[in-house]
Amino acid sequence: MSLQPEEKWRVLSGALYVIATPLGNLGDLSERAISVLSEVELIACEDTRRTGSLLKHLGIKSRLKSLNKFNEESRIDELLQRIAAGDKIALVSDAGTPCLSDPGERLVKRVANEGLTLVPLPGPSAPITLLSVAGFGGSDFRFIGFAPRENSKRQQLFEAQRYSESALVFFESPKRILKVLESACEVLALDTPLCIGRELTKLHEEILHGTLGELFEELTQRDKLYGEFTVAIEAGREERTAAEDAEKWARALLAKGLSRRDTRDLLVEMQGLGSRDAYKLVLEFSESGD
């Protein structure tokens, strides 16, 4: 593999540069990222105040324009027109890699669909940072952004994790981390391996290794929780029993609006259940409203 010399860091006209910025430690911003940020005509950012502070630290005076979940759709056409006209534009989020649970995905998709130039500048990413020290999941993981707010949906998520061959990675706030881990404890085995990163790359960075039960107990005993959390749960790899598989199909088919009879017939055909057992299962879930 050959490395690119500095003279090839030239910034192309008519391109959108997707730039990863530090999670916390400003030393993690690459020289190439600094070079591009200093040359573009416009930086589309999640929060102009936060990005403004970063640019001030770097001595860069590029123009800023907010691009967040509230205004992204309304500003895409303007940005596309500027790129098509030859402008060099950068896209950054408050921290980490844009479009990973951050604004920018719709803009990137439109740029790609228009056949305009996209240039990714790799760098900090909280999920990858945590997995590098988790001790598992490095070759097979699923990142979901933030865990569901509803307990029932969280339990469905963790129920699926019991049988998954992939590690599960997600973000969480200090206000909800205990509720999320409690939901996990209700479904997953308490000895499930876990890795939690708090305030990654920042002054009070903390990496916790242990089991689900151990880390839930440890965080519960703390007087106050603060900072941004990233959580990795090791793959479950349990084998689903025939009964559990049949229940899963019954729930899914009824949720799609199939009649009791059609659901029963499909369970008999696909799961090998007897007609009576299949119909009993259908009645159980349809009458409970589940």
Side-chain angles (χ1 to χ4, degrees), residues 69-247:
K69 62 181 180 180
F70 303 107
N71 65 19
E72 181 176 0
E73 191 63 41
S74 66
R75 295 195 167 171
I76 289 177
D77 287 340
E78 175 192 347
L79 294 173
L80 286 175
Q81 290 172 6
R82 294 192 59 163
I83 295 170
D87 277 1
K88 303 178 283 287
I89 295 179
L91 169 66
V92 302
S93 61
D94 284 348
T97 302
C99 305
L100 298 186
S101 199
D102 279 330
E105 191 171 359
R106 286 178 288 182
L107 172 61
V108 167
K109 183 176 182 178
R110 288 283 303 278
V111 171
N113 288 344
E114 294 290 333
L116 299 172
T117 302
L118 278 167
V119 183
L121 270 66
S125 168
I128 301 303
T129 299
L130 182 66
L131 285 172
S132 71
V133 293
F136 59 81
S139 59
D140 191 353
F141 69 92
R142 178 188 175 205
F143 172 64
I144 61 167
F146 284 85
R149 287 186 172 274
E150 299 85 356
N151 183 51
S152 60
K153 292 185 178 180
R154 290 198 297 266
Q155 290 190 330
Q156 291 176 15
L157 171 69
F158 296 132
E159 178 69 21
Q161 187 61 18
R162 288 175 55 195
Y163 311 102
S164 175
E165 295 187 354
S166 305
L168 179 67
V169 186
F170 56 88
F171 298 141
E172 200 44 79
S173 71
K175 293 182 179 180
R176 296 178 56 236
I177 184 66
L178 290 180
K179 289 183 179 179
V180 172
L181 293 182
E182 183 177 14
S183 296
C185 287
E186 293 172 354
V187 177
L188 296 171
L190 295 182
D191 62 354
T192 301
L194 204 68
C195 182
I196 298 177
R198 186 180 66 81
E199 293 289 87
L200 289 172
T201 81
K202 298 179 182 178
L203 180 63
H204 299 290
E205 176 184 80
E206 184 177 23
I207 308 292
L208 301 173
H209 292 87
T211 66
L212 172 59
E214 291 169 346
L215 296 189
F216 175 61
E217 181 179 3
E218 178 172 340
L219 293 182
T220 300
Q221 292 176 351
R222 297 190 180 186
D223 293 334
K224 186 177 181 180
L225 296 174
Y226 62 92
E228 298 169 332
F229 288 83
T230 306
V231 180
I233 302 177
E234 191 169 44
R237 300 181 181 273
E238 289 185 32
E239 291 188 7
R240 191 184 294 274
T241 66
E244 289 175 322
D245 206 34
E247 289 181 8

Side-chain angles (χ1 to χ4, degrees), residues 13-67:
S13 297
L16 177 67
Y17 283 82
V18 182
I19 304 177
T21 54
L23 302 174
N25 192 316
L26 296 179
D28 293 335
L29 189 65
S30 71
E31 291 183 56
R32 182 185 176 205
I34 295 172
S35 176
V36 172
L37 288 171
S38 65
E39 291 189 41
V40 295
E41 280 87 18
L42 179 70
I43 299 174
C45 58
E46 190 173 359
D47 187 326
T48 56
R49 293 166 300 179
R50 183 152 182 172
T51 301
S53 295
L54 172 64
L55 296 182
K56 182 177 180 180
H57 171 79
L58 298 172
I60 295 174
K61 296 183 179 180
S62 297
R63 183 183 171 197
L64 299 176
K65 193 176 193 69
S66 68
L67 187 82

